[in-house]
Amino acid sequence: MRLHIPLDTLCSLIDLAREFQAKESVVFPEVPSSPSDDWALQILADHSDDYNVAEFSNIVTEMSERQRSELVALMWVGRGDYSVEEWEQAVDDALGDFSIRAAAYVLAHPMVSDHLEEGMIAFDLSCEDED
């Protein structure tokens, strides 16, 4: 398995997500009010003036559809929704709505930085390898 997202980009996204979610003003719904993931877009709308959100969104917007799908799939692997052996299925499942709204979807998950790191560990990758 080879990620199409450069390691330095992935590590930057993890750092930005961690900094954003560490702020006191960030609130996530315990139960989304809508199963359609509109709550994910609301998170970004509520914090549209936040530097970390803007930078995260800009980086993700510049990614290819495959890379955005991998970002979502890596989060899913990290939180245990898919195994490493199911990687291509996870990426395929992330195509479409999830990849189109990847920045909002991923940032709306309170533990996304931890889940992305766990996903990287599952693939024997680390931000320490970035040097």
Side-chain angles (χ1 to χ4, degrees):
M1 190 285 310
R2 174 174 104 43
L3 276 179
H4 292 86
I5 305 170
L7 187 59
D8 62 330
T9 300
L10 188 55
C11 294
S12 293
L13 289 172
I14 290 170
D15 289 342
L16 288 166
R18 183 167 282 123
E19 290 172 21
F20 166 64
Q21 294 179 336
K23 297 176 182 174
E24 288 181 32
S25 62
V26 178
V27 178
F28 298 95
E30 296 228 4
V31 178
S33 58
S34 161
S36 68
D37 284 334
D38 290 343
W39 61 277
L41 294 176
Q42 189 62 40
I43 296 295
L44 284 188
D46 289 347
H47 301 283
S48 61
D49 60 344
D50 186 285
Y51 167 80
N52 297 87
V53 171
E55 188 65 19
F56 189 97
S57 297
N58 288 339
I59 292 170
V60 174
T61 299
E62 294 297 317
M63 292 177 154
S64 69
E65 185 176 26
R66 170 70 190 206
Q67 290 171 320
R68 291 190 308 268
S69 298
E70 286 184 355
L71 181 66
V72 172
L74 192 64
M75 181 185 75
W76 289 343
V77 168
R79 71 180 190 191
D81 297 336
Y82 291 85
S83 68
V84 172
E85 293 77 24
E86 298 170 310
W87 174 248
E88 286 304 322
Q89 183 62 51
V91 172
D92 288 347
D93 290 349
L95 288 170
D97 279 348
F98 290 114
S99 63
I100 291 168
R101 302 187 321 178
Y105 177 73
V106 169
L107 268 184
H109 288 81
M111 297 185 62
V112 65
S113 54
D114 292 338
H115 294 316
L116 289 172
E117 284 183 335
E118 289 297 320
M120 290 174 61
I121 290 168
F123 289 106
D124 202 28
L125 297 171
S126 169
C127 289
E128 294 174 13
D129 299 338
E130 184 182 14
D131 303 327

